[in-house]
Every structure is written in C-alpha cells, then in structure tokens.
Amino acid sequence: MIVVAGEALIDLVPDRHRGPRPAAGPGGALPALLPRRGGGPYNTAVALGRLGSATAFVSRVSSDGFGEALLDGLRAAGVDVSLVERGPEPTTLAVAGIGADGSAGYGFYAQGTADRLFTLPGPLPDAATALCLGTVSLVLEPGASAYEALLRREAGRGLFTLLDPNIRAGLIPDADAYRARFRAWLPHVTLLKLSAEDARWLGGSPEEWLAAGPAAVVLTHGGEGLSVHTGGGAHRVPAERVEVVDTIGAGDTVNAALLHRLAALGALSPGGLAALDGPAWRDILAFAARAAALTCSRAGAEPPYAAEAAPADRRTGSGPSPSGG
C-alpha cells in the first residue's frame, strides 16, 4: 500500500465555457468559477487509485459538504480513507487563475480550516510500502509540524518516502526559514520530486540534494519533459505533446505515476532506486510524462486510469490517445 499524506481542498477554477458574469456593482465582470476536488496530495492519491495501486490517504477533512465530496472522490478511485481525521472546520479553498499557456496560479483561503489542524496519526498499516508528502500541508501550521513528524517517523523505520515541495510562495512568510526546513527534510527522503521552477526558488542543485540524502531527484520541466538525477548519472525524456487545457494536477500525477511504476518494478526502496539503470529510468519517466500529458489535456485535476496511461501498444478501450513528441 502506498500512503499519501497532506491536504484535501476545493479548487475554484474558471469556467471557460461560460466566461465572466456581470458584476453586481462597479468594477467590471467577475469570472464564473467551478468547484473541483483538489490539493496536491489529494490529487496524487486519486491518481494512484486510478492507476490501480493500493492507496491510503492520511489527512484531516472537514465534515462540511465539500469534505464529503472530497471523500467520495477518494472512494470512487478506490482509495482507503479509514485513516482520515474529520473536523467541523470549513474546507480550504484555492482560487485558480489559468494563464494563456494553461499554467495555473492559486490564491488560498486557509485560515481556520480543517486540514490545518491535522495531528500525527498512529502507526501506518503494516502493508504500507511508501509514504508521499508535500505541498501546502508542509507549510501551514500547526499541521505542518505533524506531517513533518510523520515523515521523520516513517523514514526512521525504513519506509520509502517521496517528497514534492510544490512551492506556493504566497503562503510562505519566511522564505529562508522554509528553505532551511526543506534541507532538514532531505535526510529522510528517498525520492525528491520537484519542478524546475520550484528548484530555482529553493536554491541548490540535484547534486547537493543527493548528497543530503535522497537516492534520486526527479525534475519536471513543463513542456520540455522530465529528468532524473542519481548517483550513477542523469537521464531525461521529452514531454508527450497534447493540446493543453490546463496544468492543474499534472505534477501530482507525476508523483503517482513514479510511485506506481516503481512499485511495479519492485523498486520502492533506497536500494531499489540505486539498482535502476538508464533504460529502466527512461521507462519510468516516459510513463510519468504520458500520465501527466493526459491530465493536462483535461480541465482540472483529472488524472488518467491505468488503461489510458499504458503504452500505445498495450492500450485498450477508447481513452484519450495524445500524440507522442
């Protein structure tokens, strides 16, 4: 079982089909917004479930209507929600703005919300083989310290860990303090995955991060593909070319695809990563690129199912088939 820990929230995304609505007062039109299930860890858990991995989600979710919808989305993907804490506080909201190239920016409404009050859970199930964390949950206190404690505890007992910082700079009041905290997490991380943009914000290099603890560092380069850096060298694959609707959930899908493919190869361990050669890494990255491309071809965080993400020569059914590139 792969355990994903972190926030579940509601994205409010522009409705491109309806366009802006007239404003009630002066100031022009207001955008029509659609609620979508979201949050980086939440999207990763859903993507893992859709790909067919046994998955559990660890978080604190509101008992309001949005919270119920979030749990329904996890259950529909086959994700175990028995470890989810519940609370009466409202669900966090993230208002998304979509750029001309499909890239997404966010404004968060997170004061006093349920997921911020996450507390350290008891032992994870014996079946757990990996733990994935990241994004807002590692920024907003007091929950951030509980998630950090979970990372340290599970890494200490030998569990494979994936960290995706997924930086939301507007929520980080002290950038230098956060960067120092990030560096302190690295000895407890097996696989570090981050975007090239996040890497620039954090500072440092894959070589420095590898020296601090991770067995591998995966970088996403948007339309330029993905790369991996290990002690044995670096490997890169191009992105798959699709008509991009938006990039919401693309990086979260990469997390899921990496974990899913590594599990299939029996490589969810530091030694397992070290044993992977260039062809194996290119296969893993190509699978992640294909899954992310499918997510980008759809509005909101809608990761693919296993049959859609399979290589073309093994694909069945009538799911989307993006052109290669």
Side-chain angles (χ1 to χ4, degrees), residues 3 11 22 28 52 61 105 147 165 206 240 254 263 276 312:
V3 179
D11 287 329
V61 174
Y147 284 113
E240 291 219 7
V254 169
L276 294 172

Side-chain angles (χ1 to χ4, degrees), residues 31 34 72 91 98 115 124-125 199 210 251 271 278 309:
L34 294 174
D72 287 345
T91 297
I98 308 301
D115 54 355
L124 297 183
L210 287 170

Side-chain angles (χ1 to χ4, degrees), residues 45-95:
V46 169
L48 277 164
R50 289 186 177 186
L51 289 173
S53 285
T55 308
F57 189 59
V58 175
S59 185
R60 190 171 189 275
V61 174
S62 175
S63 56
D64 65 13
F66 282 145
E68 292 299 329
L70 287 163
L71 291 184
D72 287 345
L74 290 166
R75 295 188 187 103
V79 177
D80 183 341
V81 297
S82 62
L83 298 175
V84 173
E85 304 168 12
R86 305 300 302 275
E89 302 82 13
T91 297
T92 298
L93 302 179
V95 180

Side-chain angles (χ1 to χ4, degrees), residues 286-317:
F287 179 75
R290 185 162 51 250
L294 286 164
T295 301
C296 290
S297 72
R298 303 163 174 172
E302 288 293 340
Y305 291 87
E308 299 173 301
D313 59 355
R314 283 182 271 159
R315 204 171 291 154
T316 60

Side-chain angles (χ1 to χ4, degrees), residues 239-245 290 292-297 321-324:
E240 291 219 7
R241 300 301 171 189
V242 294
E243 184 176 343
V244 175
V245 176
R290 185 162 51 250
L294 286 164
T295 301
C296 290
S297 72
S321 180
S323 58

Side-chain angles (χ1 to χ4, degrees), residues 13-29:
V13 301
D15 182 353
R16 292 188 170 186
H17 297 292
R18 298 179 65 180
R21 294 177 177 175

